[in-house]
Amino acid sequence: NAGVTQTPKFQVLKTGQSMTLQCAQDMNHEYMSWYRQDPGMGLRLIHYSVGAGITDQGEVPNGYNVSRSTTEDFPLRLLSAAPSQTSVYFCASSYRLAGGPSSYEQYFGPGTRLTVT
Amino acid sequence: GENVEQHPSTLSVQEGDSAVIKCTYSDSASNYFPWYKQELGKGPQLIIDIRSNVGEKKDQRIAVTLNKTAKHFSLHITETQPEDSAVYFCAAPPPGRRALTFGSGTRLQVQP
């Protein structure tokens, strides 16, 4: 299994450009999420999905769109890039552990480092 | 939603000493508390987790303790080694979301 893969690893955008960050997992996990990581702020949830065709917003969804047409793929779209979106983006997939409704073990991809100038 | 606070933000120890990182959470309904280790240039990786029905879990040199009454949990690393140097994150599930809320991270440096 490749686990969670993300492309590209690095990207530089100009303000106003749009792009899609790709994420795929081959573990047949039901749940997928996107986080951004900024210095001193940990990881913050952007969007998540509980299955194909179902997505919902996280803590910081503004400026980002997602869709989930298959179990394997969960792309993140930046509609009009802004310098405030300079960050490292991580995709994660998860499955529900036995023992409670909120036990989700997350597997992370290697990340995409995005710079917006 | 869930609020997770983590401290300290940086921690420097001598090789062989113990390290302790502490987190508090706000949602009393939370029942799953993982710890992740992030090495430079990589994604976070789960190192240990605990469910709310136990107070302590141990895996070789690492352990996690949970105090549900006080709503805090801690990561303990004994006999630290240089390869333990990394950023560590605690997390807890936000209510109604199939994801995690993370603490702000602790940069651990183990001095040889």
Side-chain angles (χ1 to χ4, degrees), chain B residues 67-82:
Chain B
N67 183 328
K68 281 222 78 177
T69 304
K71 291 192 282 188
H72 67 70
F73 56 112
S74 299
L75 177 71
H76 305 254
I77 307 174
T78 58
E79 301 171 27
T80 53
Q81 300 168 5

Side-chain angles (χ1 to χ4, degrees), chain B:
Chain B
E2 179 75 276
N3 185 38
V4 178
E5 295 190 359
Q6 180 175 348
H7 58 95
S9 56
T10 61
L11 181 58
S12 182
V13 300
Q14 291 295 125
E15 184 177 356
D17 287 350
S18 294
V20 181
I21 303 170
K22 299 182 179 181
C23 285
T24 60
Y25 61 98
S26 60
D27 183 12
S28 56
S30 291
N31 66 351
Y32 175 65
F33 305 95
W35 285 91
Y36 285 80
K37 177 183 181 181
Q38 186 179 29
E39 297 176 340
L40 197 63
K42 297 185 179 179
Q45 190 166 19
L46 179 71
I47 55 171
I48 195 167
D49 55 19
I50 192 168
R51 322 278 181 87
S52 59
N53 57 347
V54 296
E56 183 174 2
K57 183 177 177 181
K58 199 171 180 179
D59 183 4
Q60 298 183 1
R61 295 187 298 107
I62 60 172
V64 55
T65 58
L66 171 65
N67 183 328
K68 281 222 78 177
T69 304
K71 291 192 282 188
H72 67 70
F73 56 112
S74 299
L75 177 71
H76 305 254
I77 307 174
T78 58
E79 301 171 27
T80 53
Q81 300 168 5
E83 53 264 38
D84 295 327
S85 296
V87 180
Y88 292 82
F89 293 97
C90 62
R97 285 181 175 159
R98 309 296 194 261
L100 292 172
T101 296
F102 285 84
S104 54
T106 297
R107 183 174 298 279
L108 173 65
Q109 190 158 13
V110 180
Q111 308 282 357

Side-chain angles (χ1 to χ4, degrees), chain A residues 31 33 35 37 40-43 45 48 50 57-59 90 94 97-106 108-110, chain B residues 29-32 34 36 38 41-46 49 51 87 89 93-94 96-105:
Chain A
Y31 312 114
S33 307
Y35 297 86
Q37 184 175 25
M41 300 187 73
L43 293 101
L45 182 66
Y48 67 99
V50 299
Q57 296 182 348
E59 301 172 64
F90 288 100
S94 61
L97 296 162
S102 58
S103 299
Y104 299 99
E105 179 171 352
Q106 307 249 328
F108 283 86
Chain B
S30 291
N31 66 351
Y32 175 65
Y36 285 80
Q38 186 179 29
K42 297 185 179 179
Q45 190 166 19
L46 179 71
D49 55 19
R51 322 278 181 87
V87 180
F89 293 97
R97 285 181 175 159
R98 309 296 194 261
L100 292 172
T101 296
F102 285 84
S104 54

